């Protein structure tokens, strides 16, 4: 990553090669075995020592909560203990800052050797040539995919080439304070409709005085996707050059939920939506809300921040749906930088293999990023995870019977549209815009961005 490190690595490798009298081999993660050395006059031969691997430091960036940080640090520490020549520069970054910082690093030619990616964003980096294509590592066996069902591998491919691998699977969920609901005698349906959810907001407030979050962490773009999927459509067309639907009502009804939150008096106030920058800071933690909308893997960190027991049900859907909105999604992806040295790339590929396939690594990670996609790993840790994580395993099993195929990754303008949707949500929550106005403005903004 740094030029002086690259030069040092090259010199170290060259000296080792000369000392061992071995030939160079440029294929990923491979080294030519040394020939046995004969001892003349002694009549015996001793195998030559394997050349020591050149030291390498890998930068690794991710976003997430404190639980993710601690577990990732633990897994990397174990890797270094097993592979002393590999050390890490670990760089957890807050979710709001992550993409800006990653983009800035890449622009300077310093993208992390290992970088956590999101399904809806990794193609942006791939299109800019920042991600390393990893087929050679798969072909050589350096990254072993034999224990991973094919269904989980397509999400990181572009034109049949691997640019990212799924570190876990999750699904959108409605998480709620089960302790509070049980005490109030309130039952939350496993598959609620939005009408059910509005009724719950009223019932909870009347019985407990606690208000309802309509998504302080997830934001409106998620619910717009779910609404459009309920209508049998997709937010974007197949090639990401336009919207996949033309009915503004599908967007308006999402903002109508926020409007109801504001006008009914059952929803948490607007300022709580801007303050929830991580799952631990949401109103469900402080007791100001009985629920929150998250990805299922985020519930582990949320439960760690609370004493009350949490439970999960499926994201509410519209009663007139023609298609299940739920889907199974890569919780996070892992990619390699194309900007590092070959030694860094080879070492980083070995770490990817470790994260995907090592039971020991996943004994530490314990599915915080989502349910593991390696079947053997999933089975090995099933009895080791805590109760909150077991619930995510069970929830994924529930969703598998009530979901449809995931959308293609979003186009590059999606993040800007997401930001615009949050501004519109705020305006609705403060009564500055109606749901109809917000829906129409979202459609206009989306069409403008996609045509740019």
């Amino acid at each position: 990553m740094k030029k002086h490190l690259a030069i040092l690595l090259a010199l170290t490798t060259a000296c080792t090669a000369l000392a061992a009298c071995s030939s160079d081999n440029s294929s990923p993660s491979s080294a030519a075995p040394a020939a046995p050395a004969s001892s003349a006059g002694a009549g015996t031969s001793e195998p030559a020592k394997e050349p020591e691997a050149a030291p390498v430091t890998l930068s690794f960036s991710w976003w997430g909560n404190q639980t993710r940080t601690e577990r990732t640090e633990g897994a990397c520490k174990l890797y270094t203990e097993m592979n002393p020549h590999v050390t890490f520069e670990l760089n957890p970054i807050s979710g709001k800052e992550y993409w800006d910082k990653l983009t800035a690093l890449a622009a300077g030619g310093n993208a992390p050797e290992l970088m956590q990616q999101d399904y809806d964003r990794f193609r942006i980096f791939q299109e800019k040539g920042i991600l390393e294509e990893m087929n050679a590592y798969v072909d050589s066996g350096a990254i072993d995919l034999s224990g991973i069902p094919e269904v989980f591998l397509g999400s990181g491919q572009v034109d049949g080439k691997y640019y990212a691998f799924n570190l876990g699977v999750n699904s959108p969920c409605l998480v709620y304070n089960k302790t509070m609901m049980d005490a109030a005698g309130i039952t939350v349906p496993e598959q609620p409709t939005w009408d059910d959810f509005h009724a719950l907001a009223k019932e909870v407030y009347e019985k407990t005085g606690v208000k309802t979050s309509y998504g302080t962490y997830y934001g409106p773009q998620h619910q717009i996707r779910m609404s459009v999927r309920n209508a049998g459509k997709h937010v974007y067309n197949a090639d990401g050059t336009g919207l996949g639907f033309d009915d503004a009502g599908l967007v308006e009804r999402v903002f109508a939920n926020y409007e109801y939150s504001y006008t009914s008096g059952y929803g948490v106030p607007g300022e709580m939506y801007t303050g929830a920058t991580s799952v631990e800071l949401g109103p469900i933690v402080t007791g100001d809300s009985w629920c929150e909308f998250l990805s299922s893997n985020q519930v582990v960190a949320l439960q760690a921040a609370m004493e009350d027991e949490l439970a999960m049900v499926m994201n509410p859907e519209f009663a007139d749906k023609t298609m299940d909105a739920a889907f199974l999604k890569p919780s996070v992806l892992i990619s390699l930088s194309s900007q590092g040295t070959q030694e860094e790339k080879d070492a980083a590929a070995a770490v990817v293999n470790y994260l995907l396939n090592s039971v020991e690594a996943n004994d530490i990670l314990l599915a915080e990023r989502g349910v593991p996609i390696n079947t053997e790993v999933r089975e090995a840790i099933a009895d080791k995870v805590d109760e909150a994580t077991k619930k995510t395993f069970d929830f994924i099993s529930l969703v598998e019977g009530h979901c449809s195929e995931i959308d293609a990754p979003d186009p590059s303008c999606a993040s800007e549209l997401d930001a615009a949707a949050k501004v519109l949500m705020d305006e609705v929550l403060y009564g500055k815009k109606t749901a109809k106005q917000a829906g129409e403005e979202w459609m206009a903004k989306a069409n403008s961005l996609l045509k740019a």
Side-chain angles (χ1 to χ4, degrees), residues 1 59-66 68-70 72-73 89-106 110-112 114-116 125 217 277-278 280 332 369:
M1 186 172 171
S59 56
F60 186 176
S61 293
W62 68 89
W63 74 88
N65 50 68
Q66 186 60 29
R68 176 171 299 174
T69 293
E70 291 172 358
T72 304
E73 289 173 347
E89 291 178 0
L90 302 178
N91 187 26
I93 303 172
S94 71
K96 282 198 167 185
E97 299 174 345
Y98 185 80
W99 301 107
D100 289 341
K101 287 192 175 181
L102 200 64
T103 300
L105 287 168
N110 293 312
L114 291 156
M115 64 187 93
Q116 187 170 289
F125 290 84
Y217 187 78
T277 55
S278 71
E280 296 95 340
V332 296
R369 283 180 168 88

Side-chain angles (χ1 to χ4, degrees), residues 28 133-145 153 162 165 349:
E133 187 255 293
M134 292 184 277
N135 280 46
Y137 295 106
V138 174
D139 293 342
S140 71
I143 297 178
D144 180 12
L145 304 181
L153 296 175
Y162 293 106
F165 290 103

